[in-house]
């Protein structure tokens, strides 16, 4: 019996390794391409082993963003912009959603459910649908090429509000009554009891919303006209350009691989809380 289990484990691991290899191979090819010169990549002579320009290409991408045929923004500058955008959007969405769900679940006021469903209806109105009026408002406020203009229109989240509302509804009434007996006010109850209980849900949502903010394309494309405000997704798109003659693939691949590092780091560091937040509750 034990022998059969060991064979089954080997088969499972082989299948997993095969799946990882299939998904990782394009990333490895991008890494190999980022270590060669432009001529080698353009002639299709790249091979499967890293080339001699590893350090040079990555230093160029990080410090200047320029190659033999392109003049882009430095990756460090674009990654800083993307990092500010992703962190602001993820923390802002979580903070607003926590407070709105807290108000909807634990307070009694007129039209309470009407306001909740109004928030819910906004799920059907993504930024792409309301892009023109949103851009007009941001433009009139003078927020073009600013971080508030880049992040504030994306900071509300009906999805996160719905998730926190459903979680708060499972909090036992006895816990609320016990807090009242101990003399805890609404905000004390929120900070000392609800937030610790919601920590894994917050962590799971933070990972999802951070990646959402990092990968934003359409809104940054509209709201940023200055190179100093470009996010890394916009920067890579502009580096590719529209003509094959302008493409400097080694620098672009180095930029793309560097751009993957922050989201991967967030997922790896928060993996345990992310899985726990999606599968368990701590009440």
């Amino acid at each position: 019996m034990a022998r059969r289990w060991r064979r089954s484990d080997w088969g499972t691991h082989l299948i997993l390794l095969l799946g990882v290899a299939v998904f990782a191979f394009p990333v490895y090819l991008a890494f190999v391409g980022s270590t060669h010169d432009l001529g080698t990549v353009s002639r299709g002579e790249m091979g499967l082993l890293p080339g001699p320009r590893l350090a040079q290409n990555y230093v160029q991408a990080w410090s200047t963003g320029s190659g033999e045929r392109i003049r882009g923004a430095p990756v460090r500058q674009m990654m800083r912009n993307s990092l500010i955008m992703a962190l602001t959007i993820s923390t802002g969405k979580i903070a607003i959603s926590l407070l709105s769900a807290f108000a909807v679940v634990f307070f009694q006021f007129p039209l309470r459910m009407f306001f909740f469903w109004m928030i819910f209806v906004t799920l059907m109105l993504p930024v792409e649908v309301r892009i023109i009026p949103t851009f007009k408002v941001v433009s009139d406020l003078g927020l073009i090429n600013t971080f508030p203009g880049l992040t504030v229109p994306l900071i509300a989240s009906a999805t996160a509000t719905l998730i926190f509302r459903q979680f708060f509804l499972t909090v036992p009434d006895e816990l609320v009554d016990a807090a009242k007996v101990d003399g805890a006010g609404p905000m004390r109850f929120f900070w000392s009891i609800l937030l610790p209980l919601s920590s894994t849900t917050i962590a799971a949502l933070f990972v999802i919303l951070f990646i959402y903010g990092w990968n934003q394309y359409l809104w940054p494309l509209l709201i940023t006209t200055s190179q100093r405000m470009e996010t890394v997704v916009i920067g890579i798109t502009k580096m590719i350009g529209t003509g094959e003659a302008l493409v400097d693939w080694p620098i672009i691949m180095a930029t793309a691989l560097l751009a993957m590092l922050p989201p991967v780091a967030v997922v790896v560091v928060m993996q345990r809380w992310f899985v726990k937040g999606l599968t368990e509750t701590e009440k």
Side-chain angles (χ1 to χ4, degrees):
M1 183 68 180
R3 186 180 180 83
R4 284 204 300 273
W5 274 110
R6 285 199 295 271
R7 286 178 178 174
S8 175
D9 290 345
W10 276 107
T12 303
H13 281 86
L14 283 175
I15 293 172
L16 286 174
L17 287 172
L18 181 63
V20 169
V22 169
F23 282 100
F25 187 67
V27 179
Y28 177 72
L29 273 186
F31 169 72
V32 173
S34 69
T35 61
H36 287 278
D37 60 85
L38 177 59
T40 303
V41 176
S42 300
R43 291 190 299 272
E45 302 172 352
M46 194 171 70
L48 292 177
L49 295 177
R53 292 174 61 92
L54 171 65
Q56 185 175 345
N57 286 344
Y58 279 86
V59 168
Q60 274 185 260
W62 181 262
S63 58
T64 66
S66 300
E68 297 178 34
R69 300 184 181 181
I70 56 173
R71 293 290 180 269
V75 177
R76 66 174 190 275
Q77 174 184 303
M78 294 190 294
M79 288 177 69
R80 183 206 62 184
N81 295 339
S82 291
L83 188 63
I84 293 173
M85 183 177 184
L87 286 175
T88 306
I89 289 175
S90 54
T91 54
K93 278 178 179 288
I94 288 172
I96 292 174
S97 300
L98 274 169
L99 291 173
S100 56
F102 178 58
V104 167
V105 174
F106 293 99
F107 289 86
Q108 298 293 332
F109 54 89
L111 302 176
R112 178 170 63 98
M113 292 308 297
F114 170 77
F115 289 120
F116 169 71
W117 286 112
M118 286 296 292
I119 296 172
F120 187 77
V121 165
T122 61
L123 278 174
M124 305 168 195
L125 294 172
V127 173
E128 290 78 5
V129 175
R130 50 187 166 85
I131 196 80
I132 295 177
T134 305
F135 179 81
K136 180 70 167 59
V137 171
V138 172
S139 177
D140 290 345
L141 292 174
L143 297 177
I144 302 292
N145 287 323
T146 64
F147 285 112
L150 194 62
T151 56
V152 170
L154 304 176
I155 215 168
S157 173
T159 305
T161 302
L162 178 63
I163 291 173
F164 283 124
R165 174 185 178 270
Q166 296 308 113
F167 177 77
F168 290 165
L169 285 175
T170 64
V171 174
D173 292 338
E174 291 79 5
L175 195 59
V176 181
D177 295 337
K180 289 179 180 177
V181 170
D182 286 344
M187 294 314 296
R188 176 67 181 275
F189 174 70
F190 177 77
W191 284 109
S192 302
I193 298 176
L194 276 186
L195 273 187
L197 287 176
S198 309
S199 57
T200 54
T201 306
I202 292 172
L205 274 174
F206 177 81
V207 174
I208 295 171
L209 295 175
F210 182 88
I211 295 173
Y212 164 84
W214 185 271
N215 291 331
Q216 278 297 306
Y217 173 71
L218 181 58
W219 182 248
L221 182 65
L222 290 174
I223 210 69
T224 58
T225 57
S226 169
Q227 193 178 64
R228 70 176 176 81
M229 288 296 298
E230 284 180 357
T231 61
V232 72
V233 175
I234 301 301
I236 292 173
T237 305
K238 290 185 177 179
M239 289 167 75
I240 294 174
T242 56
E244 186 68 22
L246 298 176
V247 177
D248 198 325
W249 286 112
I251 302 300
I252 293 172
M253 292 180 191
T255 303
L257 289 174
L258 289 171
M260 290 174 57
L261 295 180
V264 170
V266 168
V267 172
V268 170
V269 171
M270 302 190 68
Q271 183 180 17
R272 184 164 62 89
W273 297 282
F274 177 67
V275 174
K276 198 172 182 180
L278 294 178
T279 58
E280 299 179 9
T281 57
E282 291 184 350
K283 296 188 291 297

